[in-house]
Amino acid sequence: MKSKKASAFLTKFLFYFGNIVIGIIFVSPLVWMISASFKPESRIFANMNSLSTFFPVEPSLNNYFEVFRRIDMANVFKNTLLYIGLILILDLLINSICGYALAKFRFRGRGAILSLVVALMVMPMEAILLPLYIEMSQLGWVNTLQALVVPFIAKCFSIYMFQNFFHDIPNDLLEAASIDGCSPVGTFFKVVMPISKTVYATVFILDFVAHWNDFMWPFLVMTGADKRTIQLAVQSFFSTSPVHYSAIMAALVVSALPMIVMFIFMQKYYVEGIASSGIKG
């Protein structure tokens, strides 16, 4: 009996110890970036072979002052949050309706549409980047909000996530709503949406992170300095002299902070949504 308890304790200890070590490895670059943002330029790469590199000796906010001096951060955040907000609202609404239709309605071609959605999930953005840019140019949408929002409203992955989640909702619940006089539209908005917070939160987080970190597409279609997104603003530190890595680290911390805060408060829904939608890593 004692040997079994000892074996179980050792297994649990090794499991948690291994996870802690892996967590430290993954978090260490972020910790170093935050530490470097408080260091002067001459000290940013000092003592890289020791743990002291993670602790600024004389922390200073000068790098953050330089970031806000060189970038109109209020305008950058406004531009970024505006276009991401529009994408998220339309994405959550339209793709959830598509996912619900594929999960709960039977119609001709349903299987083919679902197969097409799954097949298009593997297509990389780079494969359609050029024709998509040409289309935006011909429409006269270059350097406009439409070019950032419209191409990304419909997402195969979001449809697939919603379809998987809605598929597990009991049909009896929907039939009960129909008996009570709810139309299919009313059933979706009054019954299905309120019990689907986890999958909505999951799609919200994934889309927010993807578009917050997106650089290539905004770089192609947004040519005006007053319309830069957060990643374009951070990139300007690499292309404008003098290049100060300490200021770059501060800019990266500022750009990463909203994602960190959002994930801290929404991680519970994210984990539940991934589990309930059947997505395996």
Side-chain angles (χ1 to χ4, degrees):
M1 183 66 73
K2 289 184 178 180
S3 62
K4 289 184 178 180
K5 289 184 177 180
S7 177
F9 173 80
L10 181 61
T11 301
K12 184 179 292 187
F13 172 79
L14 291 175
F15 174 78
Y16 285 109
F17 180 77
N19 278 276
I20 290 172
V21 171
I22 294 173
I24 291 173
I25 292 173
F26 277 96
V27 170
S28 58
L30 177 63
V31 176
W32 183 85
M33 179 182 73
I34 296 173
S35 173
S37 69
F38 293 100
K39 296 179 181 179
E41 186 72 16
S42 59
R43 297 291 303 170
I44 189 171
F45 295 114
N47 303 321
M48 290 292 290
N49 58 346
S50 69
L51 290 177
S52 61
T53 189
F54 292 99
F55 305 97
V57 178
E58 297 178 357
S60 171
L61 293 174
N62 291 335
N63 296 324
Y64 290 92
F65 292 148
E66 182 177 353
V67 169
F68 284 90
R69 180 179 60 82
R70 292 173 59 174
I71 297 178
D72 185 359
M73 198 59 72
N75 184 62
V76 167
F77 271 93
K78 182 197 73 174
N79 294 338
T80 308
L81 292 175
L82 175 61
Y83 104 84
I84 292 179
L86 289 173
I87 289 177
L88 288 173
I89 292 171
L90 295 172
D91 178 5
L92 294 176
L93 177 62
I94 294 174
N95 292 322
S96 64
I97 293 175
C98 292
Y100 180 69
L102 290 172
K104 293 301 182 183
F105 291 93
R106 299 294 180 264
F107 53 90
R108 182 177 297 179
R110 171 181 170 273
I113 294 174
L114 185 57
S115 299
L116 181 62
V117 168
V118 175
L120 290 175
M121 283 171 54
V122 303
M123 180 177 291
M125 179 63 184
E126 290 77 8
I128 61 171
L129 205 60
L130 182 57
L132 189 59
Y133 176 79
I134 294 174
E135 184 179 354
M136 295 298 104
S137 178
Q138 292 177 343
L139 289 172
W141 286 1
V142 174
N143 202 35
T144 65
L145 187 63
Q146 298 95 297
L148 287 177
V149 175
V150 174
F152 301 101
I153 293 175
K155 292 187 179 67
C156 293
F157 185 75
S158 298
I159 294 173
Y160 181 72
M161 288 279 290
F162 283 117
Q163 190 273 338
N164 269 273
F165 186 91
F166 294 149
H167 183 269
D168 294 331
I169 294 178
N171 291 327
D172 293 343
L173 181 64
L174 308 182
E175 292 173 1
S178 178
I179 293 173
D180 288 340
C182 264
S183 65
V185 175
T187 300
F188 176 75
F189 284 102
K190 295 178 181 179
V191 178
V192 175
M193 287 185 71
I195 63 174
S196 306
K197 294 178 182 177
T198 54
V199 68
Y200 277 97
T202 303
V203 174
F204 177 92
I205 293 172
L206 293 175
D207 273 0
F208 185 92
V209 172
H211 291 290
W212 186 270
N213 290 329
D214 191 15
F215 169 76
M216 183 55 68
W217 183 246
F219 178 74
L220 289 176
V221 298
M222 302 306 285
T223 58
D226 60 325
K227 297 183 179 181
R228 290 186 300 184
T229 61
I230 185 67
Q231 299 305 325
L232 296 181
V234 171
Q235 190 272 342
S236 67
F237 279 87
F238 292 92
S239 58
T240 305
S241 297
V243 177
H244 293 156
Y245 286 98
S246 54
I248 290 173
M249 296 302 164
L252 291 173
V253 171
V254 172
S255 68
L257 194 59
M259 290 191 299
I260 295 172
V261 172
M262 179 199 64
F263 190 78
I264 289 173
F265 286 100
M266 300 188 68
Q267 60 178 322
K268 173 186 175 182
Y269 299 104
Y270 173 75
V271 174
E272 290 178 355
I274 289 293
S276 59
S277 298
I279 306 301
K280 305 297 182 182

